[in-house]
Amino acid sequence: MRVPLSWLREYVDLAADATPEDVLDALVTVGFEEEDVHRFEISGPVVVGQVVSIEAEPQSNGKTINWCQVDVGEENGGIRGIVCGAHNFVAGDKVVVTLPGAVLPGPFPIAARKTYGHVSDGMIASARELGLGDEHNGIVVLSDLGIDAPVGTDAIALLGLDDVAVEINVTPDRGYAFSLRGVAREYAHATGATFRDPAERDFAELQPGTGHTTVVDDIAPVRGRVGASEFVTRVVRGVDPSRPTPPWMIARLSLAGMRPLGVLIDITNYVMLELGQPLHGYDLDKLTGGITVRRATPGEKMTTLDGVERSLHAEDLLITDESGPIGLAGVMGGGTTEMSETTRNVLIEAANFDPTTIARSARRHKLPSEASKRFERGVDPLIPFVAARRAADLMVELAGGTLTEEGGALFAEVFVGEIELPADFVPGLIGVDYTDDEITGALTTIGADVTASDEGSGWTVIPPTWRPDLTDKWTLAEEVARIHGLDRIPAVLPTPPSGRGLTAHQQGRRRVADALAAAGLVETPSFPFTTDAQNDLHGSASGEHLPSIRLANPLDGQAPFLRRSLIPGLLQTAHRNISRGLTDLAIFETGAVFLPEPGVEYGTDDVPPLGERPSDETLAALNASIPPQHRFLSALLTGHVAPRQPGRPAEAAGLVEALDAVRVVAAAAGVEIDVVQAERAALHPGRTGSLHVAGEEVGYVGELHPAVAEAADLPGRATVLELDLDRILSLAGGRVVAASLSTFPAATQDVSLTLPAEVPAADVQAALAEGAGALLESVRLVDDYRGEGVPEGSKSLTFALRFRADDRTLTAAEATEAKLAGVAVAAERLGAALRD
């Protein structure tokens, strides 16, 4: 909301030397956020001048210019010669002259310059050049604006161009602050200044008369609330729409962010900004019969003021006459009855519409307006009578109209519910020892009616009609804290109750992510959207088609499916980085994947209404409409893990580094992850492994298939891994306890085994560990040899074994016995033999 300070001063006392920053500081103390300060981008000298003479001079280009002698006052140099291309003025007219040194909006600096054979010593300004509207067909003639000021008068102050506006952010629950009335009241709360309510008028003069009563025929109210609870009309006859809008009104509207559109429309906008009540003016002579407020019928259309024909929804609330729709209630008027340059008689509408209806219509038609912004937040139900009369008075004063006894009023009794406020509730909630007088004083200040409750232990509070956001004792407590200053609330760090905090799974996810980051990988979150083909390729081992969830309104039409794997997102991230010269990558992501079950229909069209809590049955149905979501962890490595250095070649990232990342995850999660050779459609044959915890498959690791890497625009090899992180953490069991360190030395031995080439090394390692028993501390594959000395179709695997006992130093014989026991199991199970 933009608030011109000259306008604000009419309703609240501002200090004469108050700056915009002072006003913003005061409004911040009562809960508003400061946004900006707005000024006219104009500086003087800009003065009133009188045209002494005009000489028309035709030019070779067909244009005729006027060589003018303009008196700008002795203090400004007397008579000056100025070239002007406009023709809407005569000698003797008083005009606005911008002298050399002035700067107009743009910025457009003014200087004496030679043009059309003369030195133009300034410029005679138009309304658009001054920032007073879009009119540029002629210069500003002050008599047309009803102004007769002495020559040499400062035109900036005369036209209100020295005004300044402050802009504040108005939260959705404080719609009353979308008006000068509301902001002035809040400034009074902040400073204690005297507030003058522009809505205070004698009720007798607000009665609109008769002859134009409106009918509300709402057969399908939204949530049981009739679309229009009030509808006040007044008639002003004999208006002259060609009259200019006064400069002070144009300046205020411009600073408030509204474009001047002619005196009649400007008046309705001015009153809306002043009182917060949206208004609409109809050309009375274009109306056919009486006005009816109703819902749209199926297939009905109307053309709004912006010239767009709109297909209407059954929930849309319409203003109609016998010809059909003439307005989309609370959003925008219709084109058939709009006020124009031919309008002579005006019917003014001031209504109160259902906020939910207006909000839905504005969003449905993508038509936010100043009116809908106010209606959807709630408008004071007692203000329509005042606003209609205020607009009528201005049309009489500024447009030459005559206020008639014609009009009508449809209204319902305004009921504001009582709120019981216990005496100890506000101090207990806010944490400040407010006195009873402070509590009641704050509530009275905001306009509430406060009476002591019958029990004497609190108060009964009736909020003011302009505050629909005050609905319970909690909102009342907030108002007390706001009025007395939020700085009074002590800063106390709350003590968390025991047993709260992150769950075991949340802690595990953080632990794993932190461990990978500490190991040198970079976390790169991505959007969860992909293609059906990518889901099939990376979401299944064989590449077969699997069901995917398609979004009804995707951000990207080329990626309308929710992901079944995190790998597509990592491929896009890698491609983006490589295209920018970052070729050495080790990235990972943790996030949700969506795994719909075959044959199950997900999603629902039964969306519960806003503003009320869904039932348990509705929530259960909504949860059932969502596919299973698992949290996965994926990583991608490409390029080099170590760059080329003197005496050392570059070290490429590969399966070794990917398996190291798997071990990091296993250690952080508290599990042991085994690798078993496998195949996947997206991975390189022979360079793929499935990952298992306690015999259950939880993911895979491997090098991307060259065709897949090429399709992703990756220039070299890339290795990926993907794990079901939720499942791993579930299999981790309880707390991981670190093993005690033995003080006895280890005994190390190597063993080389010859066995068929197709036997996985992991199976051999498992057999050695099982046979060697408790004395074996670790077993690690150190060599895989295939060549001379090894039979065709066989391979030689060498393992490094480390043995240790907790209670003694092992002898070589004990270590050898344990080793041979492991070899015996490998020989029996896998056909392994000791290599000579």
Side-chain angles (χ1 to χ4, degrees):
M1 175 69 185
R2 296 184 180 185
V3 184
L5 295 192
S6 68
W7 203 351
L8 185 63
R9 281 190 169 93
E10 293 186 6
Y11 311 128
V12 68
D13 293 336
L14 267 67
D17 59 349
T19 65
E21 290 72 22
D22 294 336
V23 175
L24 285 172
D25 288 345
L27 293 174
V28 166
T29 64
V30 286
F32 293 107
E33 295 179 8
E34 62 175 281
E35 291 288 335
D36 205 350
V37 175
H38 299 272
R39 296 178 171 87
F40 287 102
E41 298 176 0
I42 185 170
S43 61
V46 180
V47 300
V48 174
Q50 187 168 30
V51 180
V52 177
S53 65
I54 302 176
E55 295 181 23
E57 297 182 355
Q59 304 297 310
S60 58
N61 60 5
K63 181 178 180 180
T64 299
I65 61 97
N66 293 318
W67 172 238
C68 308
Q69 300 299 311
V70 183
D71 183 6
V72 295
E74 290 298 329
E75 65 277 16
N76 296 309
I79 295 178
R80 296 184 181 232
I82 298 176
V83 173
C84 183
H87 303 280
N88 66 319
F89 64 103
V90 296
D93 281 343
K94 290 184 177 179
V95 294
V96 178
V97 180
T98 58
L99 299 177
V103 179
L104 298 183
F108 178 39
I110 304 299
R113 63 188 182 93
K114 188 172 182 179
T115 179
Y116 295 108
H118 301 281
V119 175
S120 185
D121 199 13
M123 185 181 75
I124 304 175
S126 69
R128 188 169 74 181
E129 289 164 341
L130 293 171
L132 285 174
D134 295 332
E135 180 59 42
H136 196 56
N137 294 326
I139 54 93
V140 173
V141 178
L142 293 179
S143 60
D144 292 343
L145 302 179
I147 297 174
D148 184 15
V151 171
T153 300
D154 181 7
I156 292 179
L158 182 68
L159 299 176
L161 300 177
D162 58 347
D163 201 359
V164 59
V166 297
E167 183 176 3
I168 56 175
N169 178 35
V170 178
T171 53
D173 61 330
R174 301 176 70 181
Y176 67 94
F178 277 117
S179 68
L180 268 293
R181 180 194 184 208
V183 175
R185 189 190 303 274
E186 290 297 324
Y187 184 83
H189 296 341
T191 63
T194 301
F195 169 66
R196 296 174 290 278
D197 191 349
E200 284 188 1
R201 299 189 62 162
D202 184 0
F203 189 72
E205 67 180 6
L206 301 180
Q207 300 308 304
T210 59
H212 290 277
T213 302
T214 301
V215 175
V216 176
D217 182 21
D218 188 357
I219 60 174
V222 175
R223 298 184 188 171
R225 297 184 59 176
V226 176
S229 57
E230 283 187 78
F231 203 99
V232 178
T233 58
R234 299 202 76 131
V235 174
V236 180
R237 293 188 178 273
V239 298
D240 181 3
S242 65
R243 286 196 179 187
T245 303
W248 58 266
M249 181 177 284
I250 292 179
R252 289 179 175 181
L253 289 174
S254 299
L255 280 175
M258 304 198 75
R259 184 165 53 95
L261 297 171
V263 64
L264 299 179
I265 298 175
D266 290 347
I267 286 171
T268 59
N269 287 337
Y270 186 85
V271 175
M272 177 185 68
L273 292 172
E274 182 178 66
L275 299 174
Q277 170 66 57
L279 299 173
H280 188 70
Y282 301 91
D283 188 327
L284 182 61
D285 299 324
K286 296 178 182 178
L287 287 173
T288 305
I291 290 179
T292 299
V293 182
R294 60 170 175 82
R295 301 284 173 176
T297 58
E300 196 167 15
K301 298 182 178 182
M302 72 166 291
T303 301
T304 46
L305 284 173
D306 55 1
V308 177
E309 184 180 63
R310 302 184 182 277
S311 299
L312 302 174
H313 187 274
E315 276 191 0
D316 288 333
L317 191 68
L318 303 179
I319 312 298
T320 67
D321 64 3
E322 292 180 2
S323 67
I326 58 173
L328 188 57
V331 180
M332 185 174 285
T336 58
T337 58
E338 68 175 313
M339 296 183 294
S340 66
E341 64 276 1
T342 63
T343 298
R344 294 295 176 267
N345 304 305
V346 177
L347 184 138
I348 301 168
E349 165 211 306
N352 197 319
F353 299 116
D354 171 47
T356 302
T357 294
I358 303 308
R360 290 185 180 181
S361 290
R363 287 158 178 73
R364 183 181 300 116
H365 295 285
K366 297 180 175 61
L367 194 60
S369 65
E370 291 293 329
S372 66
K373 181 168 66 176
R374 288 163 173 81
F375 279 125
E376 65 189 29
R377 288 165 170 81
V379 172
D380 185 354
L382 299 183
I383 209 70
F385 286 88
V386 179
R389 178 57 190 259
R390 173 67 167 150
D393 290 344
L394 287 174
M395 287 186 182
V396 171
E397 177 186 350
L398 304 179
T402 301
L403 180 60
T404 70
E405 295 298 322
E406 301 173 74
L410 172 72
F411 59 94
E413 181 181 358
V414 177
F415 174 78
V416 180
E418 297 179 344
I419 302 174
E420 294 299 327
L421 181 64
D424 58 350
F425 179 75
V426 175
L429 179 67
I430 305 300
V432 177
D433 292 330
Y434 297 112
T435 66
D436 289 355
D437 288 342
E438 285 181 316
I439 295 173
T440 57
L443 297 176
T444 303
T445 297
I446 66 171
D449 181 18
V450 182
T451 57
S453 60
D454 295 338
E455 295 80 10
S457 59
W459 304 275
T460 299
V461 182
I462 301 177
T465 55
W466 58 85
R467 295 297 303 272
D469 58 306
L470 302 181
T471 56
D472 49 42
K473 58 185 179 181
W474 287 273
T475 52
L476 294 180
E478 291 174 4
E479 288 300 295
V480 174
R482 185 176 67 88
I483 294 300
H484 286 300
L486 301 179
D487 55 330
R488 287 186 59 181
I489 302 175
V492 178
L493 186 65
T495 302
S498 60
R500 303 292 178 87
L502 299 178
T503 65
H505 270 225
Q506 290 171 332
Q507 292 176 352
R509 291 199 294 264
R510 288 196 179 187
R511 194 166 56 246
V512 168
D514 290 345
L516 283 176
L521 282 78
V522 178
E523 187 170 11
T524 58
S526 61
F527 286 117
F529 314 122
T530 187
T531 65
D532 201 22
Q534 288 289 308
N535 268 342
D536 291 345
L537 179 62
H538 298 285
S540 67
S542 62
E544 63 182 314
H545 177 69
L546 293 174
S548 298
I549 298 297
R550 186 185 183 96
L551 298 173
N553 187 23
L555 290 177
D556 182 355
Q558 296 181 342
F561 293 91
L562 291 175
R563 63 190 178 190
R564 294 184 62 97
S565 167
L566 304 181
I567 300 298
L570 290 176
L571 292 176
Q572 290 183 355
T573 301
H575 167 66
R576 190 178 304 113
N577 280 272
I578 291 172
S579 68
R580 288 159 175 78
L582 303 176
T583 56
D584 299 332
L585 300 173
I587 57 179
F588 77 97
E589 178 179 2
T590 62
V593 297
F594 305 85
L595 307 175
E597 299 176 1
V600 179
E601 292 291 332
Y602 294 99
T604 178
D605 294 328
D606 186 16
V607 179
L610 300 175
E612 61 183 51
R613 187 186 188 281
S615 65
D616 292 342
E617 292 76 13
T618 301
L619 291 174
L622 288 174
N623 287 330
S625 70
I626 300 174
Q629 301 177 40
H630 294 237
R631 186 168 293 272
F632 275 23
L633 180 147
S634 296
L636 181 148
L637 299 95
T638 187
H640 298 102
V641 292
R644 186 178 66 180
Q645 303 174 44
R648 178 181 176 182
E651 185 177 342
L655 271 174
V656 172
E657 287 70 31
L659 289 170
D660 283 343
V662 171
R663 295 185 186 101
V664 169
V665 172
V671 297
E672 290 187 7
I673 297 181
D674 299 320
V675 184
V676 177
Q677 195 167 27
E679 291 187 0
R680 290 186 70 89
L683 301 185
H684 196 298
R687 301 176 186 173
T688 302
S690 63
L691 304 174
H692 296 255
V693 173
E696 180 178 336
E697 185 175 359
V698 294
Y700 61 88
V701 63
E703 183 181 311
L704 275 181
H705 194 287
V708 176
E710 182 180 2
D713 293 325
L714 302 184
R717 291 183 176 182
T719 308
V720 298
L721 66 93
E722 184 155 75
L723 293 162
D724 186 339
L725 186 55
D726 281 345
R727 188 58 188 151
I728 289 175
L729 295 174
S730 297
L731 294 170
R735 180 174 302 176
V736 177
V737 179
S740 60
L741 297 177
S742 174
T743 60
F744 295 95
T748 59
Q749 294 192 14
D750 290 346
V751 62
S752 295
L753 300 175
T754 303
L755 66 166
E758 66 271 12
V759 176
D763 291 349
V764 181
Q765 181 173 313
L768 288 172
E770 180 181 338
L775 293 179
L776 181 65
E777 187 176 76
S778 73
V779 55
R780 181 168 56 89
L781 177 67
V782 296
D783 188 40
D784 183 339
Y785 174 73
R786 310 178 194 209
E788 186 179 350
V790 176
E792 184 77 18
S794 299
K795 62 183 177 181
S796 173
L797 300 180
T798 301
F799 294 88
L801 309 177
R802 185 170 69 241
F803 300 92
R804 193 191 308 266
D806 293 333
D807 57 350
R808 67 189 186 281
T809 299
L810 290 177
T811 65
E814 288 177 310
T816 300
E817 182 182 354
K819 177 185 73 173
L820 294 177
V823 171
V825 172
E828 179 184 355
R829 186 177 298 170
L830 305 171
L834 277 172
R835 183 181 174 190
D836 297 332

